[in-house]
Amino acid sequence: MKPQKAMGKSGADISILHWQGFRLHMPVRSLTGQAYVFRVNVSDSFVACDKFEYLLTDKEQARAARYRKLDDYQRFTVGRVALKLLLAKFANVPANKVVVQQQGAEKPFTELPVSFNVSHSGNWVVLAFSALPVGVDVEFINNHFSYRNMLPATFHPQEIAYIEQSSNSLEQFYRLWTAKEAWFKKEGAGVAGELWRENMLQNDSVTCFAVDGRHTAAIACTGKAGVAAALDFTIS
């Protein structure tokens, strides 16, 4: 697969990935410094989650039950089941042996030799896997969102100029926002008060891409590694 346009010299360009269908019985190459990115349609996958309920710990099931909105409950359930199934595939272990840990607000982790990150928005869950630290973020593009008040506190001056000079400022805002979120998640750092310091236009380790026509996303890899494959996964 040809890597999509990266941040940095090409600016906040966005690419449509050529999503390839994927089933768990299909082989995957060994994890390297490059990343695999998956998109999972929540509506298509949630119906099959019942038969994988055994993968969720009591703590995970209790967390899911605390969500008041059905959408949030479904996104968490689909995201956690997909994560465990895919981690098992990459690590070559039974899915019921995959233990996902999390300390406070820090990003989840496992003892497996696989780095991963998960994000969800709207009807999509996006997951990234690599041998090296990786971060991913996806956002629904809300055409009515008033973003300009956020710019001074969250964007580098060069980024602000780039957004304001764009023919579609709102989309560029979302692209740079997801890029920042992905990069900070990869670094394992909190974002409060620090977003404006990092200029994503000069960061070659972050790549923007489209999940569909209404959702934009970004993946941050370690170094200048790119995406080895973009895969469409349905829990079934």
Side-chain angles (χ1 to χ4, degrees):
M1 164 186 161
K2 266 189 172 179
Q4 66 276 30
K5 293 180 181 179
M7 302 289 289
K9 292 181 180 179
S10 59
D13 290 324
I14 193 166
S15 293
I16 305 295
L17 296 189
H18 298 291
W19 297 95
Q20 307 166 47
F22 177 81
R23 292 292 182 267
L24 285 174
H25 67 269
M26 293 174 62
V28 293
R29 290 172 297 194
S30 301
L31 284 172
T32 62
Q34 289 189 304
Y36 288 82
V37 61
F38 292 80
R39 67 176 183 180
V40 184
N41 185 291
V42 175
S43 297
D44 292 345
S45 289
F46 181 72
V47 67
C49 282
D50 281 350
K51 67 181 180 181
F52 294 105
E53 186 178 7
Y54 69 95
L55 295 180
L56 302 183
T57 64
D58 291 344
K59 187 174 181 180
E60 288 168 335
Q61 291 186 40
R63 176 178 172 182
R66 286 196 295 271
Y67 287 109
R68 296 185 178 183
K69 294 182 179 180
L70 178 62
D71 289 350
D72 293 332
Y73 168 75
Q74 292 180 338
R75 279 190 290 262
F76 173 78
T77 303
V78 169
R80 190 51 58 97
V81 170
L83 173 62
K84 291 192 175 186
L85 291 173
L86 292 169
L87 279 171
K89 180 69 174 177
F90 280 111
N92 195 27
V93 298
N96 63 350
K97 299 298 183 182
V98 176
V99 178
V100 179
Q101 304 178 59
Q102 188 170 7
Q103 298 176 352
E106 295 182 4
K107 69 179 184 178
F109 65 95
T110 72
E111 299 299 328
L112 301 171
V114 182
S115 178
F116 67 90
N117 201 226
V118 183
S119 182
H120 50 71
S121 181
N123 198 40
W124 291 103
V125 174
V126 178
L127 307 96
F129 300 87
S130 180
L132 302 172
V134 65
V136 70
D137 188 60
V138 57
E139 297 287 344
F140 170 73
I141 299 175
N142 180 356
N143 291 325
H144 304 291
F145 182 61
S146 300
Y147 64 90
R148 283 189 165 84
N149 289 339
M150 295 178 59
L151 296 181
T154 54
F155 288 86
H156 186 276
Q158 186 178 350
E159 293 174 325
I160 295 174
Y162 186 90
I163 291 170
E164 296 288 19
Q165 293 167 13
S166 170
S167 59
N168 193 325
S169 296
L170 180 67
E171 287 192 7
Q172 294 297 357
F173 162 81
Y174 273 107
R175 290 167 189 173
L176 287 169
W177 177 264
T178 57
K180 285 176 180 285
E181 289 277 5
W183 190 85
F184 274 90
K185 289 172 75 177
K186 187 262 293 184
E187 294 294 304
V191 300
E194 299 294 332
L195 284 169
W196 68 272
R197 295 180 182 276
E198 297 297 330
N199 183 359
M200 292 296 108
L201 296 173
Q202 301 299 324
N203 192 326
D204 288 329
S205 68
V206 181
T207 302
C208 291
F209 61 93
V211 178
D212 65 8
R214 297 300 304 279
H215 294 78
T216 187
I219 182 170
C221 301
T222 297
K224 296 185 179 181
V227 177
L231 302 166
D232 220 345
F233 177 53
T234 301
I235 299 170
S236 60

